[in-house]
Amino acid sequence: LLSLVQVHGQGGVKFQNWAKTYGSSPELYFQPTSVEEIREILDMARQRDKRVKVVGGGHSPSDIACTDDFMIQMGKMNRVLKVDKEKQQVTVEGGIFLSDLNVELSKHGLALANLGAVSEVAAAGVIGTGTHNTGIKHGILPTQVVALTLLTASGEILECSESINADIFQAARLHLGCLGVVLTVTFQCVPQFHLHEVAFPSTLTEVLDHLEDHLKRSQYFRFLWFPHSENVSVIYQDPTNKPPSSSGSWLWDYAVGYYLLEFLLWISTFVPSLVCWINRFFFWLLFSSRVENIAISYKIFNYECRFKQHVQDWAIPIEKTKEALLELKAALENNPKMVAHYPVEVRFARGDEIWLSPCFQRDSCYMNIIMYRPYGKNVPRLNYWLTYEGIMKKHGGRPHWAKAHSCTRKDFEKMYPAFPKFCSVREKLDPTGMFLNTYLEKVFY
């Protein structure tokens, strides 16, 4: 049978992730508008023995989405397919950006119970990498997924949920892009809500000594630690009925928080000892007084990632939070040459049953470290990176799948009890490795 759909791939497209830290030059770049077209692309890939990588917003700060073969960008498959008001569920195409979904949901009086910091990301990608936010009663974002459909390498469409293809469902809720093309995702929503955010200064000692209290006191509690100091900014976010209001100001947040910071960090690449001073100065300038904001939930969950950066983010068992942070602090104190940009962001998530979730079967603390790249310039970070990874591994940590890490299959077999299960599902769905790339080869081989 001759196919009626002619798909055209573009050559010469250069793919780069948001932080411009990784990129690739796919041989052909596709933006399909239908399932038939995706099937065609997979057929062509099979005939020419090419690999396929599906990409959404390209936000992952790693090479998880890179390929030199075929790249499928899902941006044109971005519709809301169904809103079930009774069940408070929404079914969307995999390519929809959460930023568009948030607006759509609010028209129906619904919202996602939790969101990451960035919404310029596609639904299928968000779950594929295990995006998370904070809140000990809330799981990572894939825990909000109640069903999905998957187009496999052979061109078959699988419906997956707790009751249909249950094994594939537990694998596909955090799929790493290696099981097939996620066509649709069904999210469990909640009624639309506003959040009251309060940020106030504290110290590392206080927060770590009273962690339980903080976790009880606020539904979405997180804190920012300013390395090379005791300074901490505690952030509480909780549902409210009060009307929207804001005490932030564009001038401070942007002129100072963005432009001045980037300039000073650039200077610090010549005089690294300035970083300690910068962290303290900015804490005093922007974080030393109490700030409150009230807005619709997604506007509070989302915040600016400022400028280009390298990040690492590992999840450790929640009871290791204090020990691990104090070790990181001690490591910085003992190595005056090792500098760390602010903030170290500390968030919390509920344990779950998703096979490759960093929170698999345990409540977790995520500790996110950052090194900015002022004006795109790289800042030496290897020492800091390895020290941090060492501490995380020692405490049973698991790295965030979207972010750069140096783990291999051996590590993952130790970290994830269900790793062999995931591998067998992957091998069954993609026996020839059509959906693999360099990043995934390190994971599975």
Side-chain angles (χ1 to χ4, degrees):
L1 268 173
L2 276 177
S3 132
L4 300 174
V5 192
Q6 246 352 91
V7 288
H8 293 289
Q10 267 174 292
V13 172
K14 175 103 176 82
F15 166 75
Q16 272 198 317
N17 69 342
W18 173 82
K20 302 206 178 347
T21 43
Y22 293 92
S24 65
S25 304
E27 185 182 318
L28 287 177
Y29 179 86
F30 300 89
Q31 286 193 298
T33 56
S34 69
V35 180
E36 286 69 40
E37 281 180 50
I38 302 176
R39 272 213 179 99
E40 287 285 296
I41 298 163
L42 299 188
D43 283 345
M44 197 196 307
R46 204 174 303 110
Q47 285 155 16
R48 300 196 197 170
D49 200 21
K50 295 290 178 192
R51 288 177 162 185
V52 177
K53 207 67 262 112
V54 185
V55 61
H59 217 277
S60 296
S62 70
D63 53 349
I64 190 167
C66 296
T67 185
D68 291 330
D69 286 4
F70 290 2
M71 183 173 276
I72 298 179
Q73 203 283 330
M74 293 289 280
K76 292 187 171 161
M77 296 184 67
N78 63 352
R79 292 172 306 160
V80 174
L81 300 173
K82 184 181 177 200
V83 178
D84 184 332
K85 285 232 163 134
E86 290 265 286
K87 291 185 179 164
Q88 299 185 336
Q89 290 175 356
V90 61
T91 303
V92 297
E93 288 184 307
I96 193 172
F97 271 18
L98 293 191
S99 46
D100 297 329
L101 177 57
N102 291 334
V103 174
E104 275 304 305
L105 283 176
S106 80
K107 291 179 191 165
H108 293 278
L110 295 172
L112 289 169
N114 211 348
L115 287 164
V118 182
S119 279
E120 278 58 54
V121 286
V126 164
I127 67 169
T129 52
T131 303
H132 68 96
N133 181 24
T134 193
I136 199 53
K137 292 203 162 58
H138 296 274
I140 62 171
L141 269 57
T143 59
Q144 301 176 62
V145 174
V146 289
L148 53 87
T149 56
L150 191 64
L151 177 66
T152 64
S154 64
E156 188 187 357
I157 293 181
L158 299 177
E159 307 271 338
C160 308
S161 67
E162 296 276 0
S163 50
I164 312 163
N165 290 320
D167 266 12
I168 296 174
F169 181 62
Q170 286 312 4
R173 285 210 282 177
L174 204 164
H175 54 74
L176 301 183
C178 69
L179 303 178
V181 183
V182 175
L183 298 174
T184 71
V185 181
T186 303
F187 289 104
Q188 181 59 53
C189 304
V190 296
Q192 182 180 339
F193 61 107
H194 281 66
L195 279 175
H196 180 187
E197 176 179 74
V198 185
F200 58 92
S202 185
T203 65
L204 190 59
T205 313
E206 188 281 324
V207 171
L208 292 177
D209 287 348
H210 300 106
L211 201 55
E212 280 296 307
D213 300 342
H214 287 291
L215 284 163
K216 282 196 190 96
R217 198 167 301 162
S218 170
Q219 196 180 138
Y220 304 95
F221 153 68
R222 80 174 76 220
F223 68 91
L224 313 176
W225 170 54
F226 290 65
H228 310 294
S229 77
E230 259 285 305
N231 297 332
V232 162
S233 173
V234 173
I235 299 162
Y236 286 171
Q237 295 172 341
D238 290 286
T240 181
N241 296 322
K242 294 181 193 159
S245 67
S246 167
S247 59
S249 98
W250 181 88
L251 175 80
W252 282 104
D253 290 348
Y254 265 83
V256 176
Y258 192 106
Y259 299 109
L260 180 62
L261 178 62
E262 188 164 27
F263 176 64
L264 290 175
L265 287 177
W266 181 75
I267 289 178
S268 80
T269 60
F270 306 101
V271 192
S273 57
L274 276 179
V275 171
C276 307
W277 176 84
I278 292 170
N279 288 0
R280 291 184 169 139
F281 173 64
F282 274 88
F283 178 80
W284 170 78
L285 201 62
L286 297 177
F287 298 90
S288 59
S289 58
R290 186 183 167 95
V291 180
E292 300 195 38
N293 288 305
I294 297 175
I296 194 159
S297 58
Y298 64 85
K299 290 188 177 164
I300 297 279
F301 286 138
N302 288 167
Y303 57 86
E304 276 298 322
C305 282
R306 306 209 188 273
F307 39 93
K308 308 308 175 204
Q309 50 190 250
H310 286 288
V311 290
Q312 278 226 61
D313 191 16
W314 286 52
I316 53 174
I318 198 164
E319 59 277 8
K320 303 282 192 184
T321 307
K322 180 175 180 176
E323 215 179 321
L325 251 182
L326 292 179
E327 272 178 48
L328 189 62
K329 183 173 190 252
L332 288 168
E333 282 162 9
N334 298 332
N335 299 311
K337 282 212 165 86
M338 188 161 69
V339 296
H341 292 166
Y342 84 82
V344 170
E345 186 183 13
V346 184
R347 289 175 284 181
F348 304 90
R350 196 187 67 212
D352 61 51
E353 291 299 321
I354 298 171
W355 293 351
L356 289 191
S357 163
C359 303
F360 181 72
Q361 296 186 342
R362 66 186 197 201
D363 290 351
S364 301
C365 161
Y366 276 94
M367 218 169 279
N368 186 78
I369 64 166
I370 191 164
M371 286 300 268
Y372 286 112
R373 301 172 58 224
Y375 310 122
K377 181 175 177 177
N378 267 326
V379 177
R381 66 176 199 283
L382 197 62
N383 259 349
Y384 179 33
W385 245 228
L386 293 174
T387 303
Y388 164 85
E389 276 202 337
I391 294 170
M392 294 291 108
K393 272 189 177 162
K394 178 182 147 188
H395 291 294
R398 298 166 176 159
H400 188 317
W401 289 107
K403 301 183 182 177
H405 57 78
S406 61
C407 299
T408 58
R409 174 163 183 150
K410 272 201 177 65
D411 297 302
F412 294 127
E413 283 173 342
K414 280 198 208 86
M415 291 170 182
Y416 288 102
F419 194 75
K421 281 189 183 170
F422 186 94
C423 291
S424 72
V425 165
R426 187 195 74 76
E427 284 154 21
K428 203 164 67 206
L429 295 181
D430 185 16
T432 63
M434 179 189 280
F435 295 107
L436 291 178
N437 63 358
T438 316
Y439 173 101
L440 290 168
E441 278 174 351
K442 288 186 206 125
V443 174
F444 295 112
Y445 293 106

